[in-house]
Amino acid sequence: MLQGNKLQGNRLQGNMVQRIISEGSKVELQRFSSLSQKKENSEVKTYYSLVSEVMGNNRIKITMPLEKGRIVLLPVNVRYNACFYTPNGLYQGRVLIVDRYRDKNVYMLVVELISDLVKFQRRQYYRLGCTMDMKYKKIEENEKEYEDLSKNNIIIDDKDFIEGTALDISGGGMRFVSRQSLAKGDSIFVILEIQYENEKKEYGLNARVVTSEPLTNQTGRYEHRIEYKEMSGKVRESLIKYIFDEERRQRKK
């Protein structure tokens, strides 16, 4: 009876994995360390990979991680903490590397989940480094925030918008530079145009300024960090999917 319950539990866990994790999901791996190792070196090495296939039976095929453009051959039969980036948030679990091989010049790892997947409450999303034109408008206190551009075919007059350059974007916020100084807590409306799946997609995003500082090496230019406000789940999911797909495309170059 106990064996039957265990088999049923494995099937339930496998179904959960397939619902949560999908091809292209980004993965962070951190190796388990002993207490003595942690005392000697407080920095824990993190490796970055992508899910290639959810194989079933709690096994997942991922790409071998890269470091400075070189493949890192992680050893078999070693346990790691794994963090999976998904459109539904971050999930964490323990994995064991059970196999590694080369498939058409691509080095792969097969990992097996040896714990439950747990929703990870770290408030951060993977950031994609980029150089992308964008524009924004500061929302004054007496103004209402704008609606998503996807609603009601809204057309916005560009004359009040200031041009900037995005340096990185994520599902939770953005870092960009412009010639305007902003203050922490300012509300702004950002327009971002992305080339995605052979078409251009335009996002209109309400955001709050987290930091705004002058650039030391460029007079009259400022670097801003913002976080999105009340973004719809559909828009966030679309943006995260673009970021994952773009990172995977860059890795293949």
Side-chain angles (χ1 to χ4, degrees):
M1 183 66 179
L2 288 175
Q3 185 178 4
N5 288 339
K6 184 177 179 181
L7 290 172
Q8 184 180 16
N10 287 340
R11 285 196 294 269
L12 290 174
Q13 170 70 1
N15 291 336
M16 179 183 178
V17 171
Q18 291 179 323
R19 288 198 304 269
I20 294 173
I21 300 174
S22 58
E23 179 183 344
S25 294
K26 182 176 175 289
V27 188
E28 288 182 4
L29 297 173
Q30 289 186 341
R31 186 170 179 173
F32 283 93
S33 300
S34 66
L35 291 176
S36 60
Q37 287 175 317
K38 288 181 179 179
K39 288 178 181 178
E40 291 174 5
N41 183 7
S42 60
E43 183 178 354
V44 180
K45 188 71 174 178
T46 301
Y47 301 100
Y48 301 95
S49 178
L50 294 172
V51 172
S52 176
E53 180 185 350
V54 180
M55 304 171 69
N57 295 324
N58 293 336
R59 293 195 171 190
I60 304 166
K61 186 192 300 183
I62 66 175
T63 58
M64 193 80 75
L66 296 175
E67 186 174 48
K68 296 181 180 179
R70 295 185 176 182
I71 295 170
V72 182
L73 296 173
L74 298 184
V76 176
N77 294 325
V78 176
R79 294 180 301 163
Y80 287 82
N81 281 316
C83 182
F84 296 91
Y85 289 69
T86 80
N88 297 314
L90 304 179
Y91 284 82
Q92 190 177 44
R94 295 179 182 179
V95 299
L96 175 71
I97 296 178
V98 295
D99 194 11
R100 71 180 192 185
Y101 58 93
R102 190 171 75 171
D103 181 13
K104 297 179 181 178
N105 295 322
V106 179
Y107 287 85
M108 309 299 299
L109 292 172
V110 177
V111 300
E112 182 176 332
L113 272 167
I114 55 176
S115 74
D116 291 337
L117 280 175
V118 179
K119 189 75 176 287
F120 196 26
Q121 297 301 323
R122 184 173 64 179
R123 288 177 173 261
Q124 93 178 44
Y125 294 85
Y126 173 71
R127 289 187 172 271
L128 175 73
C130 62
T131 303
M132 187 183 301
D133 291 336
M134 46 81 71
K135 53 191 175 184
Y136 69 96
K137 179 184 185 300
K138 182 179 176 182
I139 301 174
E140 303 298 339
E141 291 184 3
N142 60 343
E143 290 184 296
K144 292 183 179 180
E145 292 186 345
Y146 291 91
E147 293 183 79
D148 289 343
L149 293 179
S150 57
K151 296 178 181 178
N152 305 322
N153 296 318
I154 294 174
I155 299 175
I156 295 177
D157 191 345
D158 285 357
K159 68 179 181 180
D160 294 329
F161 280 74
I162 295 172
E163 294 182 350
T165 302
L167 302 179
D168 62 48
I169 60 174
S170 77
M174 180 190 307
R175 179 168 63 98
F176 70 95
V177 295
S178 74
R179 294 191 176 278
Q180 181 189 44
S181 174
L182 294 169
K184 180 179 179 180
D186 280 349
S187 294
I188 64 173
F189 185 73
V190 175
I191 297 179
L192 187 66
E193 189 176 89
I194 290 174
Q195 184 75 30
Y196 182 50
E197 295 180 344
N198 298 320
E199 65 174 323
K200 287 184 178 180
K201 292 191 176 182
E202 195 171 52
Y203 295 90
L205 309 169
N206 287 296
R208 181 181 70 87
V209 177
V210 179
T211 63
S212 180
E213 299 176 348
L215 290 173
T216 56
N217 57 344
Q218 296 184 46
T219 304
R221 292 182 68 82
Y222 301 84
E223 180 179 292
H224 319 286
R225 289 184 180 273
I226 62 173
E227 62 180 11
Y228 310 134
K229 295 177 13 179
E230 299 180 359
M231 177 187 286
S232 73
K234 184 177 181 180
V235 172
R236 193 186 304 276
E237 182 176 341
S238 176
L239 193 56
I240 290 174
K241 188 175 188 305
Y242 161 76
I243 290 168
F244 284 171
D245 288 351
E246 180 63 16
E247 193 225 12
R248 184 169 51 181
R249 186 185 68 81
Q250 291 179 7
R251 285 170 61 96
K252 288 181 179 179
K253 284 187 176 181

